[in-house]
Amino acid sequence: MGYFCPWEEGEAGQGTAGRAGHRGQPRCGRQLGTNPTAFPEGSRAGREHPGAMSRPLSDQERRKQISIRGIVGAESVAELKRGFNRHLHFTLVKDRNVATPRDYYFALAHTVRDHLVGRWIRTQQYYYEKDPKRIYYLSLEFYMGRTLQNTMINLGLQNACDEAVYQLGLDMEELEEIEEDAGLGNGGLGRLAACFLDSMATLGLAAYGYGIRYEYGIFNQKIRDGWQVEEADDWLRHGNPWEKARPEYMLPVHFYGRVEHSASGAKWIDTQVVLALPYDTPVPGYMNNTVNTMRLWSARAPNDFNLRDFNVGDYIQAVLDRNLAENISRVLYPNDNFFEGKELRLKQEYFVVAATLQDIIRRFKASKFGSTDSVRTVFDSFPDQVAIQLNDTHPAMAIPELMRIFVDIEKLPWDKAWDITKRTFAYTNHTVLPEALERWPVDLVEKLLPRHLQIIYEINQRHLDHIASLFPNDVDRLRRMSLIEEGDTKRINMAHLCIVGSHAVNGVAKIHSEIVKTQVFEDFAELEPEKFQNKTNGITPRRWLLLCNPGLAELIAEKIGEDYVRDLSQLTKLHEFVDDDLFIREVAKVKQENKVKFALYLEKEYKVKINPSSMFDVHVKRIHEYKRQLMNCLHIITMYNRIRRDPAKLFVPRTVIIGGKAAPGYHMAKMIIKLINAVAQVVNNDPMVGSKLKVIFLENYRVSLAEKVIPATDLSEQISTAGTEASGTGNMKFMLNGALTIGTMDGANVEMAEEAGEENLFIFGMRVEDVTELDRKGYNAQVYYDRLPELKQAVDQIKSGFFSPKDPNLFNDVVNMLFHHDRFKVFADYEAYVKCQEKVSELYLNSKAWTKMVIRNIAAAGKFSSDRTIKEYARDIWHVEPSDLKIPPPNEPRDAGQDKTPNGTAA
């Protein structure tokens, strides 16, 4: 890496036909090279590749060169090389003598971005002309990961870029590794938002993602002496080639101040102003020339910020104080499934909705072709033109904010404003854990957003009057359904605000939506049953198959064609090949190639030699008690003890891989990480165990690491206590990539078992009703400890300091929690889990039977595409139709009458 191609364009280069893919030993073990017809005889490329067609093709080369990775044309390769050299020279101001690998990455990123820009502008022009209903997805988190490869795939450029980069003498995989993950999310909720943006663009919906451009994303996790240590994620330090700042759309956001009431209505005055500067990132659909926008807001201090207050001449301090305003978009709160009631967090939540709603209303008013003036001044059609989806309660302040705009600024009567607001908003609930539900102290809201508190009180009063009219004298019901919770500290229940202020409320898996209706928000569901829906989550097959597992993607396309990329339900056609010996062997071969590649990665990064034929047993997700990494840990200890007890006995070799981040303030989660690392230390260094069992804790689990580990996984661990995981999406990624699931009947596991047949998953443990019954009787951990000798031995080892000889009491807190306040009942499912794991090992010995089960799982994974999820949102909640219209690419003429460029098209 770091050297430049020794030849210039026009000089003879190295032929491509003889090389089996240039993405390492090939990224997927298959040739990703050129289409044999891409360099016709006599073409310039044919001259550049003199030996390209002069020998018989190998089997790999004869493989159908499918277009899911794009066709390589000689002209496109030459154009990409020209673009690359131009950007290296003009954008980065470097030549080959001083360019670094990072410069090469940026040159390639800018070259690929060039192919986006025309499509992006044209898409926005099209929306202004047609004025479709627009979908606004509001989320405090967008966990995008890397952009380069995903963009190449969605534009059909990947093979051409591979070829161009190869001809330039560079290594594509090395360039891709340089890109920083955009880690603007904690876990599932933020990654779901990213998958949804991909699907909305692919389905041709006029959709926008709105969030915050955090300067520091989710922290980088380092493991030092087995402990998690957090480091700041300075992901923007080298710049971000994918975003475009839009200072011309900067907007004011107000905080603090007071409210003045007069005959003309309420006025919020004496506020502190912070400016919201938008940064736009293109979101390309898959091969349809649609490019939507994700707009992230960055906080900026206005020029007079604090300067007016400093009439004593402390100008320097006044300028330095501008940081106070700009801190709003400084850092992502690193909590997953935990509510942190800090003032800065509430500022972030209001900041994003205040800026976004101004933008939405500006676009609504001006959304006529060729016009930036306000052409719509009446709001009756607002819900027909605008749908706003609240991704959890974090953007809930959008409801009182839209009411404030309608009532105070646009002077609409309250009832009309409320009707429009309800018809515009919809709310997605992501968790049933009580500690995760947002409840803001009234005092804090009053200080920061005084007018909004008044509006929330008014909403609540009218809501409670309505309940009282339906259920006279039912004071308890009024208390349960109020938006304001009384107690030591008065709090606003944000989920209640979202339900009352939305026309649709959905959970994210069938079982979760049922719990939402029958338990968490039972009173609300009884009042308006038609409001509550289910929308089972999904994942984008572009990133989670084509990008991360090209070998499997190509194999599937050979069998059933390439249309499945846009319609994942077509995977059911794979059922025809469950007994096809050749297909079984090929699926197993792809998995083995992925495992070898990941084993090499682990050896390089962790200096641990992994047996690639061992079962890769993987548990990657946020570290949380409800996800029960502790149960996995107890199973590792049990396997270790069994090997030690009878070293000669047959043992199916396993590599247990656990990864995930713990919230920095979550003591128990951090102790769990330390325990896993302590157990790994003992297991991996015991000569009696050898290569039979290895334990790896994956450091700094993130999107780009998920793309490596998921395709290499044999067994996917989805073992939350039934009734606690809303859906899960990692479980779907593993299923699609040919891993088998060991799991409880929780979240989307239930539907995965429905689709594939329960016999094709390893299901164990308590169901929701069993957990409820155990709660009723009272869970007593001691009973299980006394009854199960292997469990007792494992717990005793942790307790006695076997895994922490230098500090025998190190894990007292963990043991104490397991016995006395384990809400997630690890011991209750331990026995069933260990027995189920024995079945897993037994099946793994029979490679053919295992792979047949893998194929059945892949064939049943079609339901779990985010395209299907978004189609359901579009039909049932947003009332829009996906469009399969292909906007003409920039190099083709637009339709007559469409060639005028409206003002402000890219907004």
Side-chain angles (χ1 to χ4, degrees), residues 289-442:
N289 298 326
T290 293
V291 181
N292 284 342
T293 302
M294 173 176 71
R295 176 162 284 183
L296 302 180
W297 301 101
S298 181
R300 293 286 186 273
N303 283 336
D304 65 350
F305 183 82
N306 260 13
L307 268 72
R308 289 164 302 177
D309 309 333
F310 279 84
N311 52 10
V312 290
D314 197 349
Y315 163 72
I316 298 294
Q317 190 55 48
V319 172
L320 296 180
D321 280 353
R322 294 164 62 87
N323 275 337
L324 299 175
E326 296 177 355
N327 280 338
I328 291 174
S329 57
R330 195 82 68 207
V331 61
L332 168 77
Y333 271 81
N335 297 315
D336 197 51
N337 281 301
F338 179 77
F339 167 59
E340 185 161 11
K342 297 273 172 63
E343 182 173 342
L344 178 60
R345 174 63 174 183
L346 182 55
K347 272 188 174 171
Q348 289 182 339
E349 294 185 356
Y350 178 65
F351 174 74
V352 71
V353 304
T356 299
L357 284 175
Q358 289 179 72
D359 218 31
I360 290 172
I361 286 169
R362 172 190 61 78
R363 200 177 283 118
F364 168 76
K365 286 181 171 180
S367 200
K368 275 281 169 67
F369 178 49
S371 165
T372 51
D373 302 326
S374 292
V375 291
R376 286 199 187 100
T377 49
V378 178
F379 285 91
D380 298 54
S381 65
F382 194 77
D384 304 321
Q385 290 297 119
V386 173
I388 302 176
Q389 191 69 37
L390 303 174
N391 191 27
D392 217 351
T393 55
H394 311 140
M397 289 308 289
I399 293 169
E401 172 66 3
L402 188 59
M403 284 299 289
R404 185 186 72 81
I405 293 168
F406 283 160
V407 173
D408 294 359
I409 298 169
E410 302 292 343
K411 303 300 182 191
L412 268 59
W414 179 280
D415 289 339
K416 183 172 189 176
W418 184 240
D419 175 60
I420 293 172
T421 298
K422 274 183 76 163
R423 286 165 53 212
T424 301
F425 283 109
Y427 159 55
T428 301
N429 173 277
H430 280 278
T431 179
V432 297
L433 297 180
E435 66 268 32
L437 296 173
E438 289 196 297
R439 296 174 166 90
W440 285 105
V442 164

Side-chain angles (χ1 to χ4, degrees), residues 545 556-557 559-561 563-579 583 735-736 751-752 754-757 852 854-865 868:
L545 184 59
I556 293 169
K559 290 295 177 193
I560 66 171
D563 289 348
Y564 77 89
V565 179
R566 270 200 204 79
D567 175 13
L568 208 61
S569 65
Q570 293 191 23
L571 289 178
T572 52
K573 295 177 188 169
L574 290 175
H575 283 299
E576 295 167 34
F577 303 99
V578 169
D579 297 312
F583 187 61
M735 183 189 201
L736 183 59
E751 287 157 83
M752 284 163 52
E754 249 171 48
E755 294 294 305
K852 284 172 82 161
V854 163
I855 294 167
R856 285 189 205 104
N857 270 270
I858 297 169
K863 175 180 178 177
F864 304 107
S865 166
R868 186 264 321 149

Side-chain angles (χ1 to χ4, degrees), residues 26 34 68 84 91 127 148 157 216 240 312 349 392 451 496 537 547 564 704 745 759 761 764-765 816 822 824 862:
T34 58
I68 52 174
F84 181 95
T91 310
Y127 293 161
L148 174 63
L157 282 176
Y216 295 90
N240 174 7
V312 290
E349 294 185 356
D392 217 351
R451 178 60 182 139
H496 289 185
N537 281 345
L547 184 154
Y564 77 89
S704 55
M745 274 300 202
E759 69 283 2
L761 280 77
F764 72 92
N816 190 34
D822 177 12
F824 304 106

Side-chain angles (χ1 to χ4, degrees), residues 7-164:
W7 60 89
E8 295 294 331
E9 287 200 48
E11 293 177 29
Q14 183 179 341
T16 55
R19 107 189 112 83
H22 41 276
R23 292 173 162 261
Q25 172 26 30
R27 179 187 286 258
C28 57
R30 304 180 179 285
Q31 185 192 1
L32 307 175
T34 58
N35 185 318
T37 61
F39 299 116
E41 283 298 323
S43 73
R44 178 169 165 204
R47 293 195 302 277
E48 282 183 359
H49 294 71
M53 302 300 292
S54 61
R55 58 175 182 74
L57 295 174
S58 70
D59 284 348
Q60 278 195 339
E61 288 159 352
R62 211 174 280 113
R63 253 180 213 296
K64 183 164 168 269
Q65 297 292 336
I66 59 173
S67 65
I68 52 174
R69 296 169 69 79
I71 300 298
V72 181
E75 288 315 305
S76 62
V77 172
E79 186 199 340
L80 287 164
K81 283 162 69 179
R82 275 196 300 275
F84 181 95
N85 286 324
R86 189 180 73 248
H87 279 296
L88 191 66
H89 191 81
F90 290 107
T91 310
L92 298 157
V93 197
K94 290 282 182 85
D95 70 9
R96 68 190 68 180
N97 300 309
V98 293
T100 64
R102 178 165 277 106
D103 293 322
Y104 296 144
Y105 157 71
F106 271 99
L108 178 60
H110 280 107
T111 306
V112 171
R113 183 174 171 268
D114 289 348
H115 289 258
L116 272 173
V117 169
R119 291 171 169 87
W120 195 8
I121 289 174
R122 197 168 263 201
T123 301
Q124 303 310 316
Q125 287 173 350
Y126 179 80
Y127 293 161
Y128 268 80
E129 290 158 21
K130 299 295 179 201
D131 199 18
K133 184 172 186 177
R134 286 165 162 85
I135 314 305
Y136 296 103
Y137 197 81
L138 266 63
S139 180
L140 267 281
E141 300 183 19
F142 286 96
Y143 204 170
M144 304 299 284
R146 291 170 175 163
T147 299
L148 174 63
Q149 199 185 348
N150 187 69
T151 304
M152 294 190 297
I153 284 172
N154 279 10
L155 295 186
L157 282 176
Q158 181 153 17
N159 273 340
C161 285
D162 271 3
E163 183 57 39

